Amino acid sequence: MNKSNYIYALGLSLLVLVGCNKKAAPGASGAVTPENINKVNVVNTDYTFFSAKGKVQSESTKINANLTLRMKKNEVIWASVQALGFEAARLKVTPDSVYVVNRLKDEYFVGSYNMLRERYNVDVDFKTLQDLLIGNFVAAENGREKLEQEGPVQHLRTLRTNLQIDQFVDTTKFKLKRTEVRNLQTKDYMTVDYQDFEDLNGKPFAMAVLLSIQQPEGNASKTTVVAVKHRQVSTSETSLDFPFSVPSNYERK
């Protein structure tokens, strides 16, 4: 996967700080009361506005860049990727559309989730994407789930159309530690590991995220691994900006 294609993969897979913020701080969180979701005891991150700054790296695609991430719960996900002192890409995701500007090739993408499913075999919705990015447990809604206790880990398997979603919750922290998503039709397989937990508003928050995507290619498969390491994370009730524009000379993909 070249750097240009990586910009879209990053946007589709994952796919700043202002006043009155609450910031992540080192150290263990105090006692928190988990909520019970699908019979799983879990602590999710609460927020109206969320922002983070950090690094995104991928040895397989030779990417080493700064990442700025902003979110408004249930409304918008915004990200900017900066490399070599300039912005390489900008992403904006809403509940019905995805926008990506690739400044490396002077092009952009605008599409619906249906278009993503048809063109890229990416079966995702906005709520699932925002939960994956922030490390929150994704609730099952159709009753097709199976729960198992595996030592200090609760494992919930959910079936959603052609997706099999496995979530693993650490019962010592009541926090999601790993998510696996398998497309039963295309055989695509994605794992997300949440690591390096710090305190955010009295609850544990993963400051490191490791994303791995495996896609079949003939008799073999290609694997893309992306690591995100947050330096600064905060939540706020104060509105954030989500600027997005496309230069008139850019080509639509």
Side-chain angles (χ1 to χ4, degrees):
M1 183 182 296
N2 60 37
K3 289 187 178 182
S4 174
N5 290 336
Y6 168 77
I7 295 300
Y8 296 107
L10 176 65
L12 300 178
S13 304
L14 304 170
L15 303 148
V16 154
L17 305 176
V18 296
C20 302
N21 289 340
K22 300 175 181 178
K23 301 180 180 180
S29 301
V32 294
T33 302
E35 55 184 320
N36 190 276
I37 306 175
N38 300 131
K39 300 181 180 179
V40 175
N41 296 318
V42 64
V43 171
N44 279 339
T45 297
D46 299 322
Y47 65 99
T48 300
F49 293 94
F50 171 88
S51 62
K53 286 186 176 182
K55 297 280 291 186
V56 57
Q57 297 176 304
S58 174
E59 291 186 7
S60 57
T61 55
K62 308 302 181 184
I63 292 293
N64 186 350
N66 293 316
L67 174 68
T68 301
L69 175 66
R70 303 175 187 172
M71 299 167 59
K72 182 178 182 181
K73 188 175 182 179
N74 299 330
E75 292 191 21
V76 61
I77 299 167
W78 180 96
S80 173
V81 180
Q82 308 96 31
L84 301 177
F86 65 93
E87 183 179 62
R90 185 172 293 192
L91 165 76
K92 184 177 181 179
V93 183
T94 67
D96 57 11
S97 301
V98 176
Y99 309 83
V100 182
V101 168
N102 183 349
R103 302 194 189 282
L104 298 180
K105 293 195 67 176
D106 295 346
E107 59 188 30
Y108 70 100
F109 169 88
V110 178
S112 65
Y113 292 98
N114 286 335
M115 181 184 293
L116 293 181
R117 294 184 186 101
E118 293 172 1
R119 185 183 296 186
Y120 299 104
N121 289 322
V122 176
D123 193 354
V124 69
D125 59 83
F126 181 86
K127 187 178 187 310
T128 300
L129 180 58
Q130 72 175 0
D131 286 340
L132 285 173
L133 286 173
I134 208 167
N136 278 352
F137 183 85
V138 180
E141 299 176 352
N142 55 15
R144 300 171 63 192
E145 64 265 1
K146 178 182 178 182
L147 177 64
E148 294 182 353
Q149 186 75 35
E150 302 174 356
V153 175
Q154 285 187 301
H155 170 201
L156 184 78
R157 170 168 291 178
T158 304
L159 295 178
R160 181 186 300 177
T161 59
N162 62 324
L163 295 183
Q164 175 181 292
I165 303 175
D166 291 273
Q167 297 181 89
F168 301 85
V169 175
D170 182 346
T171 58
T172 64
K173 295 185 179 71
F174 302 113
K175 196 66 183 176
L176 184 67
K177 62 180 295 185
R178 182 179 175 90
T179 297
E180 301 174 359
V181 181
R182 187 183 303 273
N183 189 313
L184 301 177
Q185 183 177 19
T186 65
K187 306 305 179 183
D188 290 352
Y189 177 61
M190 180 180 74
T191 64
V192 186
D193 289 286
Y194 302 97
Q195 305 164 345
D196 298 346
F197 289 89
E198 295 185 2
D199 183 277
L200 177 64
N201 306 338
K203 298 178 180 180
F205 181 87
M207 297 295 287
V209 181
L210 184 65
L211 170 69
S212 175
I213 302 172
Q214 296 178 17
Q215 297 173 298
E217 274 195 348
N219 295 324
S221 64
K222 65 177 180 179
T223 301
T224 302
V225 179
V226 178
V228 177
K229 178 67 175 178
H230 296 305
R231 294 191 306 269
Q232 298 172 311
V233 174
S234 68
T235 63
S236 175
E237 297 299 318
T238 304
S239 180
L240 297 175
D241 292 327
F242 304 96
F244 193 92
S245 62
V246 178
S248 58
N249 63 325
Y250 275 29
E251 179 184 0
R252 182 167 181 172
K253 300 299 290 184

